[in-house]
Amino acid sequence: MNVRGVVVEVDDPETVSTQYGERELCEVTVRSDRGRSEPTTVTLWGDWVENAEQLEPGMELAVYDAEKRTYQGETQYTTGSDTTVVVEPEFVVDVTDVRAWVQCPRMYYLNKIDGLPLAYPVVKGTIVHEVFGDLLRGRDIDTAVEEQVEAAGLELGLLGRDSDSVAEDVRDHARAIEGWLAQGTLTERDEWRSEMTLISERYGIKGRADAVRRGMPVELKTGKNTRREPRFHDKIQAAAYALILGERAAEETSAASMMGDGGATVDTDTPSALAAAPDTGTLLYTKNAAVDRAEEGGDLSPAKEFSIGSGLLEFVLRARNAIAATEYGTDVPTGYEGDAKCEYCFEQDTCMAVSGRLDQESKAGQVGSPIPERERAYFDRFYRAIEAERRAVHREYAKLWRQGPTERADDDRALVDLQPLGRREIDGGRWELRAAGTGATSKIREGDVVLASDGHPIRGEAELARVERLGGPSPDADSSSDGSASGQEIVVTADEPVELRRLDIYPSELSTDRLLTALHDAVLKQPQSAKDVLFGRRDPEFDCPSETFVDNNPAQDEAVRRAVSAEDFALVHGPPGTGKTYTLAKIVRELVDRGEHVLLSAFTNRAVDNAIEALVEQGFTDVVRVGTESGVREDMQRFRLEQAGDPDELATRLEDAPVVAATTASCGSRVVREQRFDAAVVDEAGQLTEPGTLAATNLADRFVLIGDHRQLPPVVRSEDSGTDGKTGAESGGHPQADLGRSLFERLIEAHPEAGVLLDRQYRMAQRIQAFPSQAFYDGQLRPATGEVASRHVGDLDGVDPSALPERLRGRVAFVDPGGHAHGNTNPEEADAVAQVVEEFASAGVSRDDIGVIAPYRAQVAEIGQRLDDHVAVDTVDRFQGSSKEVIVVSFVATGDLDGPIFEDYRRINVALSRAKRSLVLVGDADALSTDETYAEMVEWAR
Ligand SMILES: Nc1ncnc2c1ncn2[C@@H]1O[C@H](COP(=O)(O)OP(=O)(O)OP(=O)(O)O)[C@@H](O)[C@H]1O
């Protein structure tokens, strides 16, 4: 019997005498069905009491294989020998976190906030793991070592290492692996899986096992261990994988026995998930092979097997539960939760320093004096906000099993019903998998790492895969014979040959991890003077030169002057089309001319590439672009710094470049985080969370933020219910504003004197800019030139304005087609939008010059079906930063104004300010007019 529900009450634990002696118990009352059912009591016995004590009302509790009994007419549940207890099952804890927690809960916390440094043991560890995978896939040792060392070239170069000595070092480790693989028992390749992604729906654990051999976990450790037994926390890691493997094995058995029984429910002979777990794990300590046997004794064999019993598995689960319970309240562990000895801990100094500076209780004690109260409060508030983001990511994991395939596909989180077209082995024993798509779209993009599966991402065969191609004609002749393949071939690469039937977005905690390290670095590593301005203890200072930088635009000129003379920071506020990118390029060039080492950053890859493009247009090309191959635009690849290659050359290129360009997310990478700059210039700063901005500004002595807080705000997941298929629900002015408010906005409000408003726009005809200027910029925006002011579609080559219907001949039009909203679509409105587009096209406007913006993905799809691919149809979020000659906006709403686009004026500002020559609003005028601002908009447009 399984019991699962929301905890409503936790009694005090008590000790009772039983036939087995004194035992502890704790009664917990839960309401199942997500808190809707009548209360049920579950008695947790023995060691599970430890977890019971961590419970709080409101948490979710799952008790699997509980024993049922009736007491005084009431049904009760109790833990038995096969029972497992899971706290907050949808909080998906990573196996490496369980390991760290068992070492010391405080270490788990420290790892989280300060991230993995760029250090040789870390990089070497990664290389050895890659080589391990290669060897398992049958690769030759010399090739594997050589290629993997080369792949880490940049990191090794930054660490001052040369390839030969690293290869020598890695080869020692690789020999341990090879020796072990050569042992007679390991012959059947089929029994191996390298790098297996495991996610447990039952226990809320995930991780990537280094290898699974005959169903048993194998973990590789690049350290040495001369004892016979593996280290305890290493065993914990392998046992955690065993726990998940047991769940899978039990499911397979029960599925098989259900089939054997003609579909009837069987619950007698199926083993519990715990009993089905593998009973042996292996730890491979590769450094043992390199130890000099003359100098060191003990057990030097690298491979150490150990047995996994239910006691160990339950221990793992209790540690996992302790993490989930701690994170429920965003509590900071003190170290007292575990029994590690601080004096043996190599993190003791760091631990004491962090505890001292943040004034946190810690088993190791504190050293140093605390940072000011205000900074601690800041750290705390953002820590909580970022952890709320992490919980939102965890909810995304849970959707992998909570949502059915159709629901996931409708939510744009999966591509389902793919038809496998074939697979082939490629370099390094990896696989290329191909399938025919259905023509459906999703948030999955080329270059993403996704879960590829044979139908179910958790219960089926699944592996992490990289999307190489989505759609596009198949180069393979035989797949075109399959009608469904036409134009929709999907190609991914993976370590294992999964039958490709479905792709799911794989939620990643990487960006939350990086926000935390940025917060840590800003508060604990930045010099006092930098923090003074951030925390309002000092006003920013300028040392303005009298030079002219831009002679045809006074505001831009002033912006460059402020930027180059800022001793702390400068802020450039750029409304739509006012030359933000142009000004940014000027600023970067001026800084470089002054001999400064500049970091150029932005929220999106697109903006980073646009900024480089503007630099190139201004004749400057001395830029190094850091980013992945798929993230960087084709024509900017020539600036991209490869990760692989000669260490010294790569490191020199990065360190000597006057300008390094990377997204703010990449600024948190091991490589960029180690660099220092004189100045950081950050574009799209209005869309960045405060810690997201800090990831870039932490790396420089001074910074310039360029953005517009009246356009799209930062995307914050934790406010996004995410299941309604709407876009934009993420931000909309909710009270949890810490992450929703950018550093740019906070600073420009606190220090308007440090900001410059770019007030001349080079995009919209005067008639189009009138409303956005009035409504969102206090009427301060004006066309930069007469040409801009008078723009009209009639000026475009081949366009005959008289061929347009009367209502579309002006620069702004309003079309009210009526119709009814069905969920997030309005088909009649979609028809009207398509008609408007066709009318412009018939008058000679190129379809590539027309864009359609709708508030919801569903309406985007509805309109997209009616138009050919040349017309860009998308949500507001995807239009930020771009423009078109003609823009048609579909509002969808009828009757009332219940949509995120309407709750947030910043989104409507973006939608209205994309058009150069013609803007057509399509919607229900009566519905829109129920809101004051939109009433004015309708008035203006008609
Ligand atoms: N001072 C200037 N003189 C001449 N042209 C300019 C000047 N500043 C900007 N422009 C031109 O105006 C256009 C818009 O500039 P830019 O792309 O930099 O705007 P933006 O503010 O970055 O736009 P968006 O709102 O889309 O981010 C570009 O074609 C650019 O070359």
Side-chain angles (χ1 to χ4, degrees):
M1 249 342 264
N2 298 339
V3 184
R4 182 164 174 162
V6 177
V7 174
V8 286
E9 201 182 329
V10 186
D11 286 357
D12 286 335
E14 48 187 296
T15 308
V16 292
S17 298
T18 68
Q19 61 192 67
Y20 310 107
E22 300 261 288
R23 290 196 68 201
E24 255 202 314
L25 67 84
C26 182
E27 288 198 348
V28 180
T29 312
V30 297
R31 283 175 183 268
S32 60
D33 200 13
R34 305 222 142 213
R36 286 184 285 265
S37 295
E38 286 303 302
T40 313
T41 305
V42 196
T43 307
L44 306 190
W45 286 89
D47 289 335
W48 295 119
V49 172
E50 201 181 288
N51 284 149
E53 287 178 302
Q54 294 153 349
L55 290 174
E56 277 174 38
M59 285 184 187
E60 208 185 355
L61 183 72
V63 183
Y64 298 111
D65 301 314
E67 288 171 9
K68 186 173 166 180
R69 62 166 194 216
T70 310
Y71 179 70
Q72 295 182 342
E74 196 191 321
T75 307
Q76 293 191 339
Y77 298 90
T78 170
T79 55
S81 59
D82 275 342
T83 308
T84 44
V85 175
V86 185
V87 176
E88 285 283 292
E90 290 190 359
F91 190 87
V92 188
V93 180
D94 201 276
V95 171
T96 52
D97 286 334
V98 178
R99 176 183 192 270
W101 181 276
V102 170
Q103 268 182 289
C104 172
R106 186 93 186 135
M107 185 181 292
Y108 156 82
Y109 171 75
L110 294 174
N111 285 352
K112 211 161 63 151
I113 61 172
D114 70 11
L116 261 190
L118 180 65
Y120 182 59
V122 176
V123 179
K124 187 176 76 179
T126 311
I127 301 174
V128 175
H129 274 84
E130 293 298 330
V131 169
F132 178 54
D134 280 353
L135 294 180
L136 288 189
R137 289 187 292 269
R139 230 173 176 201
D140 146 75
I141 184 166
D142 288 328
T143 321
V145 171
E146 194 184 313
E147 283 196 13
Q148 298 300 353
V149 169
E150 191 184 336
L154 176 59
E155 295 194 320
L156 292 173
L158 293 171
L159 289 164
R161 303 273 170 162
D162 71 278
S163 307
D164 291 344
S165 66
V166 175
E168 196 49 45
D169 200 359
V170 170
R171 212 168 278 122
D172 282 340
H173 291 264
R175 270 196 285 271
I177 303 166
E178 208 184 29
W180 182 57
L181 284 175
Q183 285 171 19
T185 49
L186 308 175
T187 47
E188 297 284 314
R189 238 200 111 193
D190 279 353
E191 295 187 42
W192 278 100
R193 285 253 335 227
S194 66
E195 292 281 352
M196 187 171 183
T197 302
L198 294 166
I199 305 174
S200 166
E201 162 181 352
R202 190 178 173 100
Y203 304 119
I205 308 187
K206 68 164 167 48
R208 213 156 141 71
D210 287 338
V212 175
R213 172 193 156 204
R214 292 189 192 137
M216 291 183 261
V218 179
E219 274 306 292
L220 179 80
K221 296 289 157 202
T222 45
K224 78 174 175 199
N225 175 10
T226 55
R227 299 181 183 195
R228 279 199 53 194
E229 278 281 299
R231 288 200 186 84
F232 185 60
H233 41 262
D234 295 339
K235 285 195 202 176
I236 292 297
Q237 193 173 353
Y241 294 125
L243 196 63
I244 315 177
L245 290 166
E247 175 185 354
R248 294 169 68 98
E251 255 161 31
E252 274 161 31
T253 321
S254 85
S257 59
M258 299 252 278
M259 278 202 279
D261 216 29
T265 315
V266 177
D267 54 15
T268 43
D269 289 337
T270 44
S272 77
L274 214 51
D279 59 8
T280 309
T282 305
L283 266 304
L284 196 56
Y285 293 95
T286 54
K287 183 139 193 217
N288 279 12
V291 170
D292 184 345
R293 283 169 191 270
E295 282 181 15
E296 202 141 5
D299 179 358
L300 290 177
S301 58
K304 300 184 194 296
E305 289 195 352
F306 69 103
S307 61
I308 301 174
S310 60
L312 187 62
L313 296 172
E314 287 172 14
F315 181 89
V316 167
L317 198 49
R318 283 198 298 277
R320 179 253 161 238
N321 287 342
I323 297 178
T326 304
E327 296 298 358
Y328 180 84
T330 331
D331 298 331
V332 173
T334 58
Y336 288 110
E337 303 84 350
D339 46 25
K341 298 228 175 347
C342 298
E343 55 272 33
Y344 299 138
C345 177
F346 60 90
E347 293 269 23
Q348 188 185 12
D349 290 347
T350 317
C351 184
M352 291 170 76
V354 170
S355 312
R357 303 206 71 202
L358 292 174
D359 195 20
Q360 290 173 336
E361 186 185 358
S362 152
K363 193 173 173 183
Q366 302 178 340
V367 287
S369 47
I371 54 172
E373 163 76 39
R374 178 132 185 248
E375 294 182 25
R376 275 180 281 142
Y378 174 94
F379 185 90
D380 218 49
R381 261 189 314 136
F382 275 108
Y383 178 76
R384 284 171 190 281
I386 296 167
E387 288 304 307
E389 285 294 284
R390 190 187 302 280
R391 285 193 289 277
V393 177
H394 284 234
R395 287 197 291 278
E396 289 295 316
Y397 284 116
K399 283 181 191 161
L400 285 168
W401 56 83
R402 278 190 156 274
Q403 292 185 321
T406 318
E407 200 185 343
R408 263 188 91 67
D410 287 349
D411 234 6
D412 293 331
R413 288 180 164 83
L415 290 171
V416 300
D417 298 330
L418 310 181
Q419 286 298 325
L421 286 177
R423 60 191 186 199
R424 70 184 175 96
E425 209 169 336
I426 52 171
D427 281 355
R430 283 170 53 82
W431 292 83
E432 181 189 84
L433 318 171
R434 292 182 300 119
T438 58
T441 54
S442 73
K443 289 184 194 161
I444 296 173
R445 299 278 170 266
E446 283 174 10
D448 287 356
V449 172
V450 297
L451 265 181
S453 65
D454 61 354
H456 196 292
I458 305 296
R459 291 167 211 152
E461 278 292 311
E463 195 39 71
L464 286 182
R466 211 185 99 98
V467 180
E468 305 293 341
R469 205 164 66 237
L470 275 180
S474 161
D476 199 331
D478 37 285
S479 61
S480 54
S481 59
D482 179 343
S484 60
S486 59
Q488 275 298 329
E489 194 180 59
I490 292 169
V491 182
V492 304
T493 47
D495 281 353
E496 295 289 330
V498 177
E499 204 174 67
L500 189 57
R501 293 189 182 278
R502 176 169 161 181
L503 293 180
D504 280 85
I505 286 192
Y506 188 65
S508 167
E509 286 172 65
L510 189 66
S511 54
T512 33
D513 289 343
R514 289 189 175 168
L515 291 183
L516 267 193
T517 53
L519 176 68
H520 167 272
D521 292 353
V523 177
L524 296 179
K525 283 192 167 168
Q526 285 296 93
Q528 194 61 32
S529 59
K531 288 201 286 178
D532 283 346
V533 281
L534 202 61
F535 289 101
R537 292 189 290 258
R538 183 167 65 75
D539 287 336
E541 287 168 17
F542 297 88
D543 177 17
C544 281
S546 51
E547 251 171 281
T548 299
F549 300 97
V550 182
D551 58 13
N552 66 349
N553 188 320
Q556 288 182 355
D557 185 46
E558 181 58 19
V560 181
R561 186 169 305 108
R562 297 242 128 194
V564 298
S565 66
E567 299 196 344
D568 309 287
F569 65 81
L571 308 165
V572 181
H573 182 195
T578 50
K580 283 188 288 293
T581 319
Y582 180 86
T583 311
L584 177 148
K586 282 261 179 208
I587 292 170
V588 170
R589 281 177 46 219
E590 288 299 334
L591 289 169
V592 171
D593 278 353
R594 286 165 169 68
E596 307 212 345
H597 185 39
V598 181
L599 170 65
L600 164 56
S601 193
F603 177 47
T604 61
N605 272 309
R606 184 173 63 170
V608 175
D609 288 336
N610 283 345
I612 302 177
E613 184 179 10
L615 280 170
V616 173
E617 275 168 18
Q618 295 181 18
F620 183 89
T621 55
D622 215 352
V623 182
V624 161
R625 172 76 160 97
V626 177
T628 60
E629 194 178 343
S630 57
V632 176
R633 217 166 71 190
E634 193 59 41
D635 57 333
M636 294 298 149
Q637 292 288 341
R638 64 186 167 120
F639 298 110
R640 196 172 76 84
L641 184 67
E642 290 281 349
Q643 303 276 324
D646 177 69
D648 195 37
E649 257 170 49
L650 293 171
T652 309
R653 252 193 92 192
L654 181 66
E655 286 169 342
D656 288 358
V659 179
V660 173
T663 58
T664 45
S666 293
C667 288
S669 69
R670 290 206 290 245
V671 162
V672 186
R673 193 176 165 216
E674 299 287 324
Q675 308 302 310
R676 262 325 283 180
F677 299 88
D678 299 308
V681 181
V682 186
D683 198 5
E684 297 183 319
Q687 279 184 276
L688 281 165
T689 62
E690 182 153 343
T693 319
L694 295 174
T697 59
N698 280 339
L699 308 180
D701 297 344
R702 288 168 286 118
F703 61 86
V704 181
L705 303 183
I706 301 173
D708 183 6
H709 51 297
R710 305 274 157 75
Q711 295 186 58
L712 295 187
V715 172
V716 180
R717 276 173 187 260
S718 53
E719 294 163 359
D720 178 15
S721 65
T723 49
D724 55 8
K726 292 172 190 169
T727 61
E730 300 93 342
S731 50
H734 289 273
Q736 196 202 340
D738 268 346
L739 288 175
R741 183 175 151 97
S742 61
L743 178 64
F744 179 83
E745 182 173 4
R746 173 162 86 80
L747 291 180
I748 208 160
E749 281 173 10
H751 302 285
E753 77 285 0
V756 176
L757 174 76
L758 304 183
D759 56 3
R760 303 205 177 164
Q761 58 84 14
Y762 295 82
R763 176 183 299 158
M764 300 165 268
Q766 174 124 34
R767 170 85 176 93
I768 299 176
Q769 71 133 61
F771 179 75
S773 173
Q774 208 53 50
F776 310 117
Y777 301 101
D778 301 327
Q780 293 195 63
L781 213 52
R782 68 206 63 215
T785 62
E787 183 277 318
V788 172
S790 63
R791 283 180 174 172
H792 189 269
V793 278
D795 312 333
L796 294 171
D797 276 352
V799 176
D800 173 12
S802 65
L804 282 170
E806 185 68 35
R807 62 190 172 117
L808 299 180
R809 284 190 200 159
R811 293 177 176 86
V812 179
F814 194 94
V815 176
D816 187 342
H820 295 283
H822 300 280
N824 292 324
T825 65
N826 181 333
E828 289 94 334
E829 196 175 293
D831 290 340
V833 168
Q835 191 188 339
V836 168
V837 170
E838 290 311 326
E839 284 165 345
F840 277 106
S842 310
V845 180
S846 158
R847 288 170 197 274
D848 293 310
D849 287 337
I850 307 175
V852 179
I853 302 177
Y856 314 118
R857 278 175 199 279
Q859 180 76 349
V860 166
E862 192 76 31
I863 297 170
Q865 286 165 10
R866 292 163 170 78
L867 294 170
D868 79 12
D869 287 350
H870 286 277
V871 181
V873 186
D874 226 319
T875 57
V876 179
D877 300 60
R878 291 195 164 258
F879 264 98
Q880 168 124 343
S882 65
S883 63
K884 291 276 177 190
E885 303 295 347
V886 176
I887 288 281
V888 186
V889 183
S890 168
F891 285 87
V892 184
T894 47
D896 57 35
L897 287 185
D898 265 359
I901 191 172
F902 304 110
E903 281 167 21
D904 191 337
Y905 296 128
R906 292 171 291 195
R907 290 204 141 66
I908 203 75
N909 179 23
V910 176
L912 298 181
S913 58
R914 301 301 100 192
K916 292 184 188 169
R917 296 166 198 273
S918 190
L919 174 67
V920 183
L921 308 183
V922 185
D924 177 342
D926 291 341
L928 289 167
S929 299
T930 58
D931 172 282
E932 203 183 324
T933 305
Y934 298 114
E936 284 169 22
M937 177 191 78
V938 172
E939 203 51 40
W940 155 75
R942 281 217 269 221

